[in-house]
Amino acid sequence: MARALPPHTWENGFKKPVEASATPWVWKNEDDDPDSFVTPPSKELLTSTAHNNVGINVIRTWPTLFDGTNNPHGTPDWWKPAVEVDVLIVGAGPSGLEVALSLARQGVSFRIIDKAPTPLTAGRADGVQPRFLETVATWGLASEIAEEGPLIERTAIYLDGKKLLFNRSHQCDSRYRGLHVITQGQIERIFIRDLARHKALVERERILSKYTVEEQGDYPVRAMVRNERTGEENLVRAKYLVGSDGAASTIRKSLSIPFDGVSTDIYWGIMDCVFETDYPHAWVFGSVISSKHGGCVIIPREDGYIRLYTQLDVSQTGPIAAARQQSDASFAEAGGRVEIETVTPEEVLEQANRIFAPYKLKFAAPLSWFAIWKISERVARSYSSPDTRVHLVGDAAHVHSVMGAFGLNASILDAANLAWKLGLAAKNLAKPDVVLPTYSLERREHAVRVIEVSGTYLRFVTGSAMPVPNLRNFDGLESRLKTNGHQTNGHANGHPNGHTNGVNGHTNGTGNNNSKQIHIHVPSTSESSDSPPRTQEDALQFLGKFFQAHGQFLLGVDCPYATSPIAPQTAPLLSSPPPVRLNNGVRAPNPRLCFSDNHTGYLYDLFEGPPKFHIVVFGSSLKGRQIRDSVDAFSSALSSSTGFWTRYGGQERFTVTVVIKRMPFEVGDDELLNGLEDKVGAKVVFDDRQPDEDVHTTYGANHSKGGVVVIRPDLWVGVTAFPDEMEEKVGGYFDGFLLPV
């Protein structure tokens, strides 16, 4: 939301503006009934700390809805914070709120505190990837977030005043195609309203003053929470502590975890505004690059606004210093140094015009947001304490460039990955020494790749010759897993930087020399240190290779996880076809299918949110003897009183989906399918699309013997097997990290 919503009426059946002074949302109690609804008071907040000559900008907010314990009417009667909770979350930005959303849906107790008096007013993150939306869809929040702002599915790039590229972009197989624009503040408000529905509030103006972790006890984390407004301190005891307290995380520092990486010499001047311009693609996502002056990045926003990132040269010989010397004689006498906090919106606009030349820009509305950011590229060496009682998420664990919109989008994958593991561990349903170390193993490697990919593109746009930092260091993680009896795969030495070309530093492929491995690109030192290409031909060649290698990673769907107890090594391909052609530890595909004769949808629509695992069995037409015998063995295994289904909680822990190549009217009297529905609550769905796009083809399912895929609560593939291997393969998988109920 760039500005306060103007008043509208719908009395003619569509949205129509009314006079600016109207307040149609206000309802006054005219009958003097004390129990009748009265609109709570709103408040207008400035959205920017700096302004242009067009005016100032405000947004309208309701403190009673969004300000948690700072509600001016007091906290509601239903809010009763406990002294002992499963999880204490420090920081109520997106990552902390996302952990809370997941825990709330698992029935895991928590408290969440934040030092700020309100949610974010404006600025910061501005778009969500398809994988973000696939994740929040399991929480029931995807449509509200996806429909808030513009959809980015085109990219325009100009170099030295000439069009370099204008084409479709941000395409993948997700139902949520494109990059969906929404401000971080709006996302926080959506999450806060959701928490209120779960009887949870953000405790505002609270900080973690100190904490200790005891070696024994049900609630070993002893945290002192201070109310910054009153000075009062209260003890909170918890099983686990989550640090979502930002890039300057005090929790990370308390653990003495290094924040490896670099602070670059690249500054962005960031402006959310409406611009008057003759640039032909002003409302299209993309970049404008000048070989002499640097680069700009354009992100279209709602209501005609755009977010403009402008590279700044604040050196003593740069254009900002030169312009100041011409207008202020005392500037040179004082040393001619540009203090970054003194840069004005007008100076950023001047720099943008240098980069956009021959095109021109000028302000056409008050600034919605203005900020100066210095780019840092850092990743915490570990995301967890050695005892796995304390964990880092979001900016507390990684910071990087804006390129790729990874900040918000990497954070939700942190939260989704950690929260289901915390939930099971807190309820004594999983082995904490096995499942919790996988959080840092899986998520740190993704952040390292974010640094490499976003950093490479950043240097292309800005012309920086600074090398992309090499942050591939997880020796501590490997030793911890080995201590717990689990072997991770080692590094290879074939890469110029000594990195493996496997899956994010590990190989979770099939182990067969003829199998297709998943590769990532790690910029070598020489590749990073040379100046990025600036001729049209070289730039186009760079872009072609870059997006071919990283296009799906930029949308969140290419994110393989390393080998671990929850993503074991994919079985080698033998001469006969496997149960499915899908690696363990990758995103589970989400194809279309038919639910009934009146309803179609996507596979994920059938899945309940965390902490359930989803067992999907592919039964082909279920007419051949071999396939029926195989699915019958699957049914018998799940019905066993001593099998893994019973050991680990049955329908409380698992969902079962049976995908068959039949029409809905053809299965009414099938005893095998009816038995699965009755015994384990299986959902039978119908794969009636054409063969080159159906679910069986998407998963590479075996039509002769069938196949089973276990999908984790965070929608990654856990393990695959034939239907008649349930206790051996699938039961053995769960035995590795779950605890009997």
Side-chain angles (χ1 to χ4, degrees):
M1 186 183 300
R3 57 182 177 138
L5 292 175
H8 291 84
T9 179
W10 283 261
E11 60 187 28
N12 292 324
F14 59 91
K15 186 178 181 180
K16 181 180 179 181
V18 296
E19 60 183 73
S21 60
T23 54
W25 54 83
V26 175
W27 182 263
K28 298 179 180 179
N29 187 354
E30 298 179 350
D31 55 8
D32 295 326
D33 184 344
D35 296 323
S36 292
F37 175 81
V38 176
T39 305
S42 62
K43 186 177 182 180
E44 291 190 342
L45 302 175
L46 285 173
T47 61
S48 181
T49 57
H51 313 288
N52 58 25
N53 57 6
V54 184
I56 62 172
N57 189 77
V58 298
I59 65 166
R60 187 181 306 109
T61 186
W62 272 265
T64 55
L65 288 176
F66 301 119
D67 291 1
T69 55
N70 277 359
N71 184 336
H73 294 175
T75 56
D77 294 338
W78 48 257
W79 187 67
K80 302 184 185 333
V83 175
E84 294 181 344
V85 292
D86 293 323
V87 182
L88 174 62
I89 305 168
V90 179
S95 58
L97 291 169
E98 288 153 0
V99 172
L101 293 177
S102 179
L103 296 178
R105 284 157 171 78
Q106 299 177 62
V108 176
S109 63
F110 65 90
R111 288 173 66 176
I112 179 168
I113 66 173
D114 194 272
K115 64 182 180 182
T118 68
L120 183 68
T121 302
R124 297 191 189 172
D126 46 29
V128 296
Q129 299 167 348
R131 192 56 172 169
F132 181 106
L133 293 167
E134 289 178 345
T135 301
V136 296
T138 65
W139 303 340
L141 299 174
S143 61
E144 185 171 6
I145 294 173
E147 296 164 7
E148 179 70 23
L151 174 66
I152 292 174
E153 52 183 355
R154 297 287 187 275
T155 294
I157 301 176
Y158 274 60
L159 174 60
D160 294 328
K162 298 179 180 179
K163 183 173 67 176
L164 182 66
L165 177 148
F166 175 54
N167 212 334
R168 293 176 73 236
S169 62
H170 299 86
Q171 302 298 308
C172 68
D173 67 288
S174 173
R175 70 191 297 179
Y176 304 105
R177 295 175 180 86
L179 184 69
H180 296 252
V181 173
I182 180 172
T183 64
Q184 180 175 322
Q186 281 297 92
I187 288 179
E188 289 185 15
R189 286 167 174 79
I190 290 170
F191 289 166
I192 287 167
R193 284 191 283 107
D194 183 88
L195 287 181
R197 294 191 285 266
H198 291 86
K199 294 186 177 181
L201 295 179
V202 175
E203 300 177 48
R204 292 286 174 190
E205 295 183 279
R206 268 52 164 198
I207 66 168
L208 180 69
S209 60
K210 60 183 178 181
Y211 76 93
T212 59
V213 180
E214 300 177 346
E215 293 184 3
Q216 296 180 335
D218 293 336
Y219 298 89
V221 177
R222 299 177 64 85
M224 296 302 299
V225 175
R226 179 188 301 154
N227 185 324
E228 290 282 83
R229 178 177 290 183
T230 67
E232 181 182 2
E233 287 197 342
N234 296 107
L235 175 67
V236 177
R237 294 190 293 272
K239 296 178 181 177
Y240 298 100
L241 176 65
V242 173
S244 49
D245 51 342
S249 171
T250 58
I251 293 177
R252 185 189 67 241
K253 294 172 183 176
S254 74
L255 295 170
S256 298
I257 293 176
F259 207 27
D260 299 320
V262 298
S263 293
T264 74
D265 57 356
I266 301 170
Y267 289 89
W268 289 119
I270 312 170
M271 301 186 292
D272 285 356
C273 197
V274 177
F275 293 92
E276 182 180 321
T277 180
D278 58 351
Y279 175 64
H281 294 103
W283 291 273
V284 176
F285 174 83
S287 302
V288 177
I289 303 169
S290 165
S291 296
K292 181 178 180 181
H293 295 294
C296 287
V297 177
I298 301 170
I299 301 177
R301 296 275 310 277
E302 65 276 25
D303 298 328
Y305 281 73
I306 68 170
R307 171 164 294 178
L308 184 65
Y309 291 85
T310 301
Q311 184 182 354
L312 301 178
D313 181 351
V314 294
S315 67
Q316 289 180 289
T317 58
I320 294 178
R324 287 189 181 185
Q325 288 177 3
Q326 292 180 0
S327 61
D328 183 2
S330 63
F331 176 76
E333 295 176 359
R337 180 182 177 186
V338 179
E339 300 292 343
I340 193 65
E341 65 271 10
T342 67
V343 175
T344 67
E346 287 73 22
E347 289 176 316
V348 176
L349 183 65
E350 288 177 11
Q351 175 66 2
N353 274 298
R354 296 183 189 102
I355 294 170
F356 269 76
Y359 303 106
K360 297 294 184 183
L361 297 161
K362 67 178 182 179
F363 294 126
L367 282 167
S368 176
W369 187 52
F370 177 79
I372 306 293
W373 278 0
K374 183 178 183 179
I375 302 300
S376 291
E377 298 169 323
R378 297 186 180 275
V379 178
R381 193 168 298 178
S382 174
Y383 284 16
S384 305
S385 61
D387 60 6
T388 65
R389 289 289 178 178
V390 185
H391 304 274
L392 306 173
V393 295
D395 288 354
H398 47 80
V399 293
H400 27 73
S401 116
V402 65
M403 300 300 183
F406 280 115
L408 183 62
N409 290 285
S411 294
I412 195 169
L413 300 186
D414 293 346
N417 187 292
L418 175 63
W420 72 264
K421 299 169 183 177
L422 282 181
L424 291 177
K427 290 187 169 186
N428 296 316
L429 296 171
K431 303 170 184 176
D433 61 328
V434 176
V435 73
L436 292 178
T438 65
Y439 167 61
S440 190
L441 174 72
E442 293 183 334
R443 293 304 307 147
R444 186 184 183 278
E445 281 301 289
H446 178 254
V448 168
R449 188 178 176 191
V450 167
I451 294 291
E452 293 166 350
V453 173
S454 68
T456 299
Y457 195 68
L458 172 73
R459 285 151 179 80
F460 166 72
V461 171
T462 63
S464 172
M466 175 180 286
V468 177
N470 173 11
L471 301 177
R472 293 188 170 272
N473 176 357
F474 35 69
D475 293 338
L477 301 176
E478 288 190 344
S479 63
R480 192 184 312 155
L481 285 173
K482 290 175 184 176
T483 300
N484 292 327
H486 303 291
Q487 179 70 42
T488 61
N489 295 329
H491 301 280
N493 294 317
H495 191 274
N497 277 354
H499 308 306
T500 177
N501 276 333
V503 181
N504 281 353
H506 298 267
T507 54
N508 204 344
T510 62
N512 185 292
N513 291 333
N514 296 322
S515 65
K516 182 180 180 181
Q517 298 290 326
I518 300 174
H519 298 283
I520 65 169
H521 170 74
V522 183
S524 68
T525 302
S526 60
E527 182 179 339
S528 299
S529 60
D530 293 337
S531 296
R534 276 297 182 268
T535 68
Q536 292 266 332
E537 182 179 353
D538 288 345
L540 281 172
Q541 186 178 20
F542 168 85
L543 291 170
K545 291 181 178 179
F546 179 85
F547 287 111
Q548 183 178 14
H550 307 302
Q552 299 306 296
F553 180 73
L554 292 165
L555 298 173
V557 297
D558 173 14
C559 182
Y561 285 155
T563 299
S564 76
I566 62 172
Q569 184 78 28
T570 304
L573 290 177
L574 303 176
S575 57
S576 59
V580 296
R581 293 185 180 274
L582 189 65
N583 286 335
N584 299 338
V586 302
R587 164 187 174 260
N590 184 31
R592 285 182 178 271
L593 39 67
C594 173
F595 300 150
S596 68
D597 49 5
N598 294 317
H599 186 201
T600 65
Y602 290 83
L603 181 62
Y604 285 4
D605 295 341
L606 301 168
F607 298 163
E608 301 173 40
K612 292 192 176 183
F613 292 83
H614 314 293
I615 302 173
V616 181
V617 57
F618 294 91
S620 188
S621 64
L622 209 58
K623 293 181 178 179
R625 185 176 66 183
Q626 189 176 21
I627 187 71
R628 286 194 69 86
D629 288 346
S630 187
V631 176
D632 185 58
F634 169 87
S635 178
S636 298
L638 267 57
S639 303
S640 170
S641 60
T642 60
F644 79 88
W645 175 270
T646 304
R647 286 197 302 277
Y648 299 122
Q651 293 186 51
E652 291 295 314
R653 187 63 51 238
F654 308 105
T655 68
V656 177
T657 300
V658 183
V659 183
I660 59 171
K661 291 289 296 180
R662 290 201 202 173
M663 292 292 182
F665 58 80
E666 296 181 295
V667 300
D669 57 352
D670 192 302
E671 294 183 1
L672 179 54
L673 294 175
N674 292 337
L676 279 167
E677 290 177 322
D678 294 339
K679 294 174 184 177
V680 298
K683 299 173 183 176
V684 179
V685 294
F686 311 98
D687 191 11
D688 63 356
R689 296 174 71 83
Q690 62 191 43
D692 58 357
E693 63 176 3
D694 68 7
V695 186
H696 280 73
T697 296
T698 300
Y699 273 76
N702 189 315
H703 280 275
S704 298
K705 299 179 181 179
V708 172
V709 178
V710 174
I711 300 174
R712 302 178 349 185
D714 56 358
L715 305 178
W716 262 259
V717 175
V719 73
T720 64
F722 285 108
D724 57 4
E725 298 177 321
M726 292 307 291
E727 199 57 39
E728 175 190 355
K729 293 286 184 68
V730 177
Y733 169 72
F734 288 121
D735 289 341
F737 61 92
L738 290 184
L739 291 171
V741 295

